[in-house]
């Protein structure tokens, strides 16, 4: 009798086919999931910095380090150089204007002054002799002029007398003509002497003026030389404190070499280095603050140095109103250089996330805190603590602000210990 052979429902071939189809479907699903941008990454929450979005006052500022400096500092240098012969005060001394600091000697300079004085005195003597000679010549010409004038008047008298006698036929033509000739000769001679005296007076006047100008120039040059010798004794140009004195008895100082500084002790300024990125935002009148435990001291930018050195430029600031007590030259202060007034804003704490996202997106945590996913955001201004958040989040939202360097292109983070 024939038996009916029943076919097996789960054959090994069918099982293999089903397993293959299922695996292929899972693979296709994984590809689709990956292509949709929903890749995930497990992270340890203890290694994350999680911050909360809050609403509060925002002010755009940058922190800068400022160095306390005297409000005015005058550099002392050796104008002509020389050997240090004597020191009258030591570094740190409080000086009054005109008080001596040190004395230099310069033999060449002092010898030049002596020679120049001799030359000036010699020239003055020679000019005085020339002036006296010119006066003597003028006196001689005046005497000659007086004689000519007397002779002319006599000739004129005889001419007029003979003219009348000739008219009356009392004398002859020959005698009258002789009187006319003598008169005309003395008239011409008189006019010539007048012209000579006039020219002589003009020449003497010009020579006197030139001599005065030459003497004045020589005296000015001599005074300049005397000033140079006088400057060998260095004195305080203003009231202040002597600092950075670099001179010892016996040292030779060259012309222009720095000897020290005088600091005005009636005020301070703060000089700070600012990153060149902010050069278009910094201007005179800009406000800064020096925060301390008991007070926020206000400063104002007084000068901006536009030269860029090593990626930074400098600004000078002065205190407005109260000045902190105990400031010392060279002391470093941590300041806030302010670019805006305080306004209410959403605040996003600064963190390493910005290096990877450029501030365009951030990982936002879900309410249960177990997952974080990418969220687009828009940032505005910033300071050393916070970004100004313009769009994408609301107060109370929690975000990851630490670095995203190891997250790659993952769209979600799973927070697991």
């Amino acid at each position: 009798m024939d038996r009916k052979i029943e076919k097996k429902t789960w054959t090994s071939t069918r099982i293999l086919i089903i397993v293959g189809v299922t695996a292929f479907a899972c693979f296709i699903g994984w590809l689709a999931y990956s292509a949709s941008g929903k890749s995930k990454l497990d992270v340890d929450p203890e290694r994350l910095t999680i911050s909360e979005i809050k609403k509060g006052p925002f002010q755009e500022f940058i922190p800068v380090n400022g160095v306390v400096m005297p409000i005015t500092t005058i550099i002392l240098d050796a104008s002509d150089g020389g050997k240090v012969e004597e020191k009258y005060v030591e570094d740190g001394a409080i000086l009054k204007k005109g008080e001596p600091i040190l004395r230099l000697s310069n033999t060449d300079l002092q010898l030049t002054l002596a020679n120049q004085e001799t030359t000036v005195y010699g020239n003055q003597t020679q000019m005085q002799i020339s002036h006296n000679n010119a006066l003597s010549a003028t006196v001689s010409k005046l005497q000659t002029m007086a004689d000519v004038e007397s002779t002319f008047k006599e000739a004129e008298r005889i001419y007029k007398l003979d003219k009348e006698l000739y008219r009356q036929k009392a004398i002859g033509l020959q005698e009258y003509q002789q009187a006319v000739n003598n008169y005309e000769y003395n008239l011409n001679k008189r006019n010539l002497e007048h012209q000579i005296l006039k020219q002589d007076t003009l020449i003497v006047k010009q020579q006197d003026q030139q001599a005065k100008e030459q003497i004045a120039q020589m005296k000015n040059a001599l005074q300049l030389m005397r000033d140079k010798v006088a400057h060998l004794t260095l004195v305080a140009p203003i009231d202040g404190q002597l600092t950075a004195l670099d001179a010892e008895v016996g040292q030779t100082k060259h012309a222009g070499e720095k000897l020290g500084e005088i600091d005005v002790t009636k005020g301070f300024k703060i000089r700070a280095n600012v990153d060149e990125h902010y050069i278009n935002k910094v201007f005179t009148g800009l406000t800064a603050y020096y925060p301390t435990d008991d007070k926020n001291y206000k400063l104002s930018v007084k000068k901006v140095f536009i030269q860029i050195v090593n990626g930074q430029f400098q600004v000078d600031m002065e205190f407005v109103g109260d000045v902190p007590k105990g400031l010392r030259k060279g002391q470093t202060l941590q300041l806030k250089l302010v670019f805006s007034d305080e306004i209410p804003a959403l605040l996003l704490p600064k963190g390493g996330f910005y290096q990877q996202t450029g501030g365009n997106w951030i990982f936002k945590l879900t309410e249960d805190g177990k997952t974080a996913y990418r969220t687009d955001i828009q940032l505005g201004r910033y300071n050393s603590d916070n970004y100004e958040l313009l769009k994408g989040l609301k107060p109370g939202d929690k975000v990851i602000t630490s670095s995203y360097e190891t997250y790659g292109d993952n769209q979600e983070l799973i927070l697991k210990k």
Side-chain angles (χ1 to χ4, degrees):
M1 178 184 230
D2 295 333
R3 283 191 310 171
K4 185 178 180 180
I5 300 174
E6 295 182 359
K7 294 183 177 181
K8 294 181 180 180
T9 303
W10 297 100
T11 63
S12 59
T13 301
R14 177 174 292 182
I15 291 173
L16 288 174
I17 292 174
I18 292 174
V19 170
V21 170
T22 302
F24 180 75
C26 291
F27 177 72
I28 295 300
W30 179 81
L31 287 178
Y33 182 82
S34 298
S36 68
K38 297 297 183 179
S39 54
K40 300 180 181 180
L41 178 69
D42 292 341
V43 295
D44 184 354
E46 292 185 355
R47 297 186 177 184
L48 305 178
T49 300
I50 298 175
S51 304
E52 183 178 348
I53 305 300
K54 296 181 180 180
K55 191 170 185 178
F58 175 82
Q59 188 174 50
E60 186 182 10
F61 68 87
I62 57 171
V64 295
N65 289 329
V67 178
V68 178
M69 303 177 66
I71 200 165
T72 301
T73 297
I74 296 179
I75 304 299
L76 306 174
D77 59 16
S79 57
D80 289 283
K83 182 180 178 182
V84 180
E85 293 289 344
E86 188 175 3
K87 284 175 62 178
Y88 302 106
V89 294
E90 295 295 335
D91 192 44
I94 303 298
L95 303 175
K96 294 292 184 181
K97 181 178 180 179
E99 190 172 347
I101 299 172
L102 58 83
R103 178 173 61 85
L104 303 174
S105 64
N106 186 319
T107 305
D108 292 339
L109 197 63
Q110 291 164 328
L111 182 60
T112 301
L113 173 60
N115 291 336
Q116 192 167 335
E117 286 177 333
T118 302
T119 301
V120 171
Y121 294 146
N123 288 338
Q124 280 184 294
T125 302
Q126 187 60 44
M127 287 179 183
Q128 187 62 45
I129 293 172
S130 298
H131 178 70
N132 292 339
N133 291 338
L135 289 179
S136 297
T138 300
V139 170
S140 178
K141 289 181 175 63
L142 287 172
Q143 289 175 344
T144 300
M145 183 65 202
D147 294 340
V148 169
E149 190 71 33
S150 177
T151 303
F152 167 74
K153 287 182 179 180
E154 181 61 21
E156 184 182 34
R157 185 188 66 80
I158 294 173
Y159 162 70
K160 290 180 179 179
L161 178 61
D162 286 357
K163 183 178 180 182
E164 182 62 25
L165 291 174
Y166 177 72
R167 188 181 65 79
Q168 296 176 3
K169 307 295 184 179
I171 61 174
L173 178 61
Q174 181 66 26
E175 188 177 353
Y176 171 66
Q177 189 61 49
Q178 185 178 358
V180 171
N181 291 342
N182 189 48
Y183 168 74
E184 290 179 349
Y185 167 76
N186 283 284
L187 176 62
N188 290 334
K189 187 175 181 180
R190 173 179 175 269
N191 291 339
L192 180 60
E193 286 297 329
H194 271 294
Q195 186 65 30
I196 290 173
L197 186 60
K198 183 179 180 180
Q199 289 179 348
D200 180 73
T201 302
L202 181 61
I203 290 172
V204 171
K205 185 177 180 180
Q206 289 176 342
Q207 288 176 342
D208 284 346
Q209 182 63 32
Q210 290 175 353
K212 288 179 180 178
E213 291 176 355
Q214 289 176 356
I215 290 175
Q217 290 176 353
M218 287 188 293
K219 286 184 176 180
N220 286 337
L222 180 59
Q223 186 58 48
L224 289 175
M225 183 57 65
R226 285 172 175 167
D227 291 342
K228 289 167 76 70
V229 172
H231 288 159
L232 291 175
T233 299
L234 185 68
V235 300
I238 56 172
D239 295 349
Q241 184 177 24
L242 176 65
T243 60
L245 180 62
D246 182 17
E248 297 297 335
V249 174
Q251 277 187 324
T252 297
K253 296 295 182 179
H254 301 289
E257 185 174 349
K258 181 179 175 182
L259 300 177
E261 299 176 355
I262 293 285
D263 296 335
V264 175
T265 57
K266 294 183 179 180
F268 293 100
K269 64 183 177 183
I270 310 299
R271 179 163 294 178
N273 291 323
V274 182
D275 191 279
E276 64 180 326
H277 175 75
Y278 302 99
I279 193 166
N280 292 327
K281 290 187 173 184
V282 180
F283 51 87
T284 56
L286 197 66
T287 299
Y289 291 97
Y290 170 49
T292 64
D293 293 338
D294 58 344
K295 191 169 183 177
N296 212 18
Y297 293 94
K298 184 178 180 181
L299 301 95
S300 178
V301 174
K302 295 298 182 181
K303 188 174 183 180
V304 179
F305 299 88
I306 61 174
Q307 296 86 356
I308 305 296
V309 179
N310 296 326
Q312 294 182 320
F313 64 98
Q314 292 184 321
V315 297
D316 280 350
M317 296 175 276
E318 294 179 16
F319 285 99
V320 178
D322 294 338
V323 177
K325 295 180 180 179
L327 290 182
R328 293 290 183 270
K329 179 181 177 180
Q331 181 180 352
T332 300
L333 305 181
Q334 293 183 341
L335 311 174
K336 290 169 56 177
L337 187 59
V338 176
F339 299 133
S340 70
D341 295 330
E342 279 191 351
I343 60 171
L346 288 180
L347 305 180
L348 170 59
K350 295 184 75 173
F353 75 95
Y354 191 90
Q355 278 67 39
Q356 283 75 42
T357 72
N360 296 314
W361 57 272
I362 198 168
F363 277 113
K364 174 186 174 183
L365 272 68
T366 56
E367 292 185 2
D368 59 12
K370 296 180 179 180
T371 305
Y373 57 91
R374 284 195 183 193
T375 300
D376 292 333
I377 58 173
Q378 182 179 348
L379 302 180
R381 298 169 298 177
Y382 60 90
N383 55 37
S384 60
D385 301 320
N386 298 293
Y387 293 103
E388 180 187 22
L389 180 62
L390 302 178
K391 187 187 296 184
L393 299 169
K394 63 182 185 299
D397 287 344
K398 292 184 178 181
V399 292
I400 298 174
T401 53
S402 48
S403 174
Y404 295 176
E405 186 175 2
T406 60
Y407 297 169
D409 294 329
N410 291 288
Q411 301 293 308
E412 291 187 20
L413 302 178
I414 308 300
L415 279 63
K416 291 185 176 181
K417 291 187 178 181

